[in-house]
Amino acid sequence: MRRREFIGGGAATIVVPTVAARAQQTVKTARIGFLITAPIASPEFRATVDPFRQGLSEVGYVEGRNLIIEYRSADGKQERFPNLANDLVRLNVDLILAASTPHARAAQQATRTIPIVVPVMGDPVADGLVASLARPGGNITGMTSLKLTAKRMDLLKVALPGLTRVAILWHPGAFSESTMSNMLNATAAAARTLRMEGPLLRVDGADQLDSAFSAMTSEPPGGLLIFPSSMFFTEGRRIVDLVVKHQLPSMFPAREYAELGGLMAYGTNIADLFRRSAVYVDKILKGAKPADLPVEQPTKFELVINLKTAKTLGLTVPPTLLSRADEVIE
């Protein structure tokens, strides 16, 4: 009797860890694709990837443990997006993290079934990415940054009360044609209200940046407004260097430019958008559908002023504007 009990007990001790081991083996490792413009290992790459990894960690995902991320960088060449998106689709990833609107449009053309999360979108409805903010309706969701070009123009005028001529640097590939047209019209209306004028400097690729700045030398503007663009973000260091070279007080769409030496920046915190996008990733990997996840709209915007740059330019930033800044770099 005792022998049978011993055998039974021994069998139990063998079965229990076997079941546990099998359960452990059934835990699925998620595989997601990350489509981005910046070269891998560049500061711009880390500025978005590191916050995303942090957000994933906060919701229980650790790369190399229960998550595999397939990185696909366009190395600054937007025309590579379609091929890179198709590559991720061929890998049959569980989800694609498309950094911004152009990345999302390429991913959308590559697949209508694999979920796509986009941390930075301008007007996703006008760009044809979602049916509505409340009910995206397709395989795309994420976060949108409101069109803030008119507000940026106003802040630049507050910083430079005597400003009458401002140049606008824009990249047509940053958004759809209709969205970009709306942004240009809104900016032009704001400029008229503020009694300012100036050239529109179209930049189709990074190789045109030098010529765009050179075009301003014949009739230099008193300031520069830079439109949002993933290509501009990737070329941030170069753009700031050109701004410094041409001694142009400039307003940028993200704090990273001001940290590099640009005068001012106003917009949403891009790093925070990438961190928060991990929440969407987690929900989708657990079974939620992008069609049912509302596109999040920002509730907080930050104004960053580089006082060191202001002094270099010989500018005195009004104290009233400094008091409104979320951060002053000295």
Side-chain angles (χ1 to χ4, degrees), residues 109-130:
Q109 291 169 6
T111 178
R112 296 284 176 162
T113 55
I114 296 176
I116 300 168
V117 174
V118 193
V120 185
M121 292 186 281
D123 187 339
V125 177
D127 286 332
L129 298 176
V130 301

Side-chain angles (χ1 to χ4, degrees), residues 115 130-141 284 288-295:
V130 301
S132 71
L133 299 183
R135 300 282 294 183
N139 64 324
I140 297 177
T141 190
I284 291 170
K289 296 179 179 180
D292 302 326
L293 295 176
V295 174

Side-chain angles (χ1 to χ4, degrees), residues 231-271:
M231 186 268 284
F232 287 167
F233 186 81
T234 299
E235 297 292 330
R237 174 76 272 172
R238 185 176 168 195
I239 292 175
V240 169
D241 287 345
L242 285 166
V243 163
V244 172
K245 176 183 176 181
H246 291 269
Q247 292 289 288
L248 281 170
S250 303
M251 166 61 82
F252 294 92
R255 67 176 296 121
E256 284 78 5
Y257 295 98
E259 292 171 347
L260 288 171
L263 176 63
M264 300 171 60
Y266 180 74
T268 52
N269 187 305
I270 292 177

Side-chain angles (χ1 to χ4, degrees), residues 65-305:
R65 184 184 302 169
N66 59 351
L67 178 71
I68 296 172
I69 303 180
E70 299 284 353
Y71 298 101
R72 292 298 182 272
S73 164
D75 289 324
K77 299 176 181 178
Q78 190 164 315
E79 62 273 15
R80 295 186 59 194
F81 290 168
N83 287 337
L84 295 174
N86 284 323
D87 187 31
L88 291 173
V89 171
R90 283 191 294 269
L91 287 176
N92 195 30
V93 294
D94 297 305
L95 178 148
I96 295 175
L97 194 292
S100 69
T101 296
H103 308 82
R105 294 173 71 187
Q108 183 186 48
Q109 291 169 6
T111 178
R112 296 284 176 162
T113 55
I114 296 176
I116 300 168
V117 174
V118 193
V120 185
M121 292 186 281
D123 187 339
V125 177
D127 286 332
L129 298 176
V130 301
S132 71
L133 299 183
R135 300 282 294 183
N139 64 324
I140 297 177
T141 190
M143 284 161 282
T144 176
S145 297
L146 300 180
K147 297 181 286 293
L148 300 170
T149 51
K151 179 65 174 179
R152 293 182 182 114
M153 181 78 81
D154 180 67
L155 288 169
L156 188 59
K157 179 70 172 181
V158 173
L160 305 166
L163 183 64
T164 59
R165 182 173 170 78
V166 59
I168 296 170
L169 195 71
W170 68 290
H171 172 217
F175 303 101
S176 70
E177 185 176 341
S178 61
T179 297
M180 186 56 71
S181 177
N182 290 338
M183 291 176 67
L184 289 169
N185 290 337
T187 305
R192 286 193 298 269
T193 300
L194 298 169
R195 297 182 180 180
M196 293 192 295
E197 60 179 12
L200 292 172
L201 303 172
R202 172 174 173 153
V203 176
D204 290 292
D207 58 338
Q208 296 180 8
L209 283 169
D210 288 320
S211 58
F213 277 85
S214 296
M216 292 186 280
T217 56
S218 58
E219 194 176 356
L224 177 66
L225 177 70
I226 291 87
F227 269 22
S229 161
S230 61
M231 186 268 284
F232 287 167
F233 186 81
T234 299
E235 297 292 330
R237 174 76 272 172
R238 185 176 168 195
I239 292 175
V240 169
D241 287 345
L242 285 166
V243 163
V244 172
K245 176 183 176 181
H246 291 269
Q247 292 289 288
L248 281 170
S250 303
M251 166 61 82
F252 294 92
R255 67 176 296 121
E256 284 78 5
Y257 295 98
E259 292 171 347
L260 288 171
L263 176 63
M264 300 171 60
Y266 180 74
T268 52
N269 187 305
I270 292 177
D272 188 54
L273 294 179
F274 275 83
R275 182 184 63 80
R276 282 159 42 203
S277 67
V279 174
Y280 282 90
V281 172
D282 178 48
K283 289 180 179 179
I284 291 170
L285 291 179
K286 289 178 177 175
K289 296 179 179 180
D292 302 326
L293 295 176
V295 174
E296 182 180 325
Q297 299 181 70
T299 57
K300 184 180 184 300
F301 307 97
E302 56 182 5
L303 171 63
V304 181
I305 299 174

